[in-house]
Amino acid sequence: HSSYIKQRKRRARYLALIGFAVLTSTLFIALNPALILPSYIAMLGGFVTFNIGMQQIGRWSRNPRNDQLLDRHLDKLGERYALVHYADAGGKRVEHVLIYPGGALVLTAKEIDGKISVNKNRWRRKSSGLRRLFSFSGPQLGNPGQETDAAVANLESFLEEAQLEIDVNGLIVFLHPLAELEVEEPEYPVLHSDEVVSFVHHLEPDESFS
């Protein structure tokens, strides 16, 4: 889906440019004492928009991207496996799906480093206030469990409409080599990228799945 990736790159650049333009315009708005409050509102909106744009630029313009990193880590899998990126599942994008002999495995990929903990559905990235400030424009942790839930539900709905009976499961993958994981009763398996091939090899095949 090269066209989709190009579209996301363009959108990221536009967001960053719009945010930067709004931020710089507040310098002129603030010259009018009667517009101090609107200038602060514009500054906040510009700051958020600019940082979202920079996050997206980093995500889609980085080399290698998440999809390319997954390709590298999973290239040892044989011809009975297929890795699909940014699939259009009924108008909703499922970012990474591995088709294996037992069904479909939705992969939620995160490229952040540092200490990351999960307890059931609660996720946390442990970092100092200064590092958190400087990483605002970088990749964010979010809630990988909820993201995987949504992706699995989207794919299941798409397959159901297509009348395809395929088991769909989820997996959360951390791609950065400096990611330190503390995992306790997660909703989905949580692994480093170099552990995924071994995990997939141990998944049960489905003899009825062609």
Side-chain angles (χ1 to χ4, degrees), residues 68-76 175 193-194 196-197:
Q68 295 168 324
L69 287 169
L70 286 172
D71 287 343
R72 290 182 186 179
H73 283 290
L74 302 183
D75 65 356
K76 295 178 182 178
L175 301 170
S193 52
D194 56 3
V196 177
V197 169

Side-chain angles (χ1 to χ4, degrees), residues 5-209:
I5 294 171
K6 290 178 181 178
Q7 177 188 6
R8 302 298 294 187
K9 286 182 180 179
R10 286 195 300 269
R11 182 180 176 184
R13 288 195 292 267
Y14 290 148
L15 277 174
L17 286 171
I18 291 169
F20 182 75
V22 172
L23 273 175
T24 53
S25 70
T26 59
L27 299 175
F28 301 99
I29 298 173
L31 294 175
N32 187 338
L35 298 176
I36 290 295
L37 181 59
S39 71
Y40 278 119
I41 295 173
M43 184 182 295
L44 178 62
F47 178 76
V48 171
T49 303
F50 175 74
N51 279 282
I52 291 174
M54 292 305 296
Q55 288 174 13
Q56 293 299 307
I57 286 175
R59 177 179 182 182
W60 297 105
S61 300
R62 188 180 70 253
N63 187 19
R65 298 183 308 269
N66 284 2
D67 55 298
Q68 295 168 324
L69 287 169
L70 286 172
D71 287 343
R72 290 182 186 179
H73 283 290
L74 302 183
D75 65 356
K76 295 178 182 178
L77 294 173
E79 294 181 354
R80 300 181 68 198
Y81 300 83
L83 186 57
V84 183
H85 300 293
Y86 312 117
D88 184 356
K92 296 179 180 179
R93 293 284 172 175
V94 180
E95 293 197 343
H96 314 289
V97 181
L98 178 68
I99 310 300
Y100 69 100
L105 184 66
V106 171
L107 306 177
T108 298
K110 294 292 178 178
E111 68 276 24
I112 62 177
D113 62 348
K115 295 182 179 180
I116 299 133
S117 66
V118 55
N119 187 334
K120 296 181 181 178
N121 64 344
R122 297 181 63 183
W123 290 82
R124 183 184 174 193
R125 185 182 187 185
K126 300 178 181 179
S127 59
S128 64
L130 187 62
R131 179 174 180 177
R132 191 178 296 117
L133 177 65
F134 281 105
S135 65
F136 193 76
S137 295
Q140 303 296 304
L141 174 62
N143 190 310
Q146 291 180 1
E147 294 172 27
T148 308
D149 274 339
V152 168
N154 290 339
L155 185 57
E156 285 179 333
S157 177
F158 173 75
L159 294 171
E160 185 178 347
E161 289 179 7
Q163 297 182 340
L164 295 172
E165 295 184 4
I166 300 172
D167 287 335
V168 180
N169 296 296
L171 174 66
I172 298 168
V173 184
F174 283 85
L175 301 170
H176 201 291
L178 297 180
E180 301 177 31
L181 304 178
E182 297 177 4
V183 181
E184 187 175 346
E185 299 182 27
E187 297 174 289
Y188 296 95
V190 181
L191 302 176
H192 289 283
S193 52
D194 56 3
E195 300 173 311
V196 177
V197 169
S198 176
F199 173 83
V200 171
H201 279 154
H202 286 85
L203 292 175
E204 239 181 271
D206 181 358
E207 298 299 331
S208 65
F209 180 42

